[in-house]
Amino acid sequence: MAWEEQLFALFEDLEQQAEALADAARAPDLLDRGRAEYQQVSLASRLVASLELPLLLEVEGVGPLRGRLERVGTGWCLLSGDGGSAQDWIVSLAAVTGATGVSERSVPEVAWSPLTRLTLGSALRRLAEAGERCVLHRRDGSRLEGVLRRVGADFAELREPSGRLVLVAFAAIAAAQGEDA
């Protein structure tokens, strides 16, 4: 090997060593940057990446709910009943205390479809428009049965079978079920 080739080989080796040292020095910064970026990931963005997957959601006041994730909106999700149950659940994300079976990925909010921006109020209005009996499960574990009449900005109006009208704050709602409850 000529002296020029040896010199170029030496320089190449030194360059590779310098790159390896630079990568090693940069690794903690990249790890910190990754952690800082991950703090921007929301539960909803992880759930949007989990659409159509079978999940287990732990819901305050209700307990574990199993089913396939059909839709995610701003502050809520729609879970289709698991197995033989055709029961659909509208679940308030504020009442979700844990989730199993979710995707490792997340979808940033800017990539969500316009339908994903619908609120819990929008989902409850659909139940009210159907005019069917439903069950509202509250975060304290209690249940209200009846027909949703109207849905306001931050509450739903439920007419119980006795005729009593109850206003339920969205903040108190853990989940809602349709007529098959």
Side-chain angles (χ1 to χ4, degrees), residues 75-133:
W76 66 281
C77 66
L78 177 64
L79 195 66
S80 281
D82 193 25
S85 168
Q87 188 61 55
D88 288 345
W89 291 85
I90 296 171
V91 179
S92 169
L93 294 185
V96 173
T97 60
T100 306
V102 297
S103 170
E104 291 284 330
R105 301 176 335 102
S106 73
V107 176
E109 209 170 313
V110 296
W112 294 2
S113 84
L115 292 177
T116 308
R117 294 183 189 358
L118 295 175
T119 64
L120 177 61
S122 300
L124 293 175
R125 279 183 196 91
R126 293 288 283 233
L127 276 178
E129 288 168 6
E132 296 175 356
R133 291 177 47 87

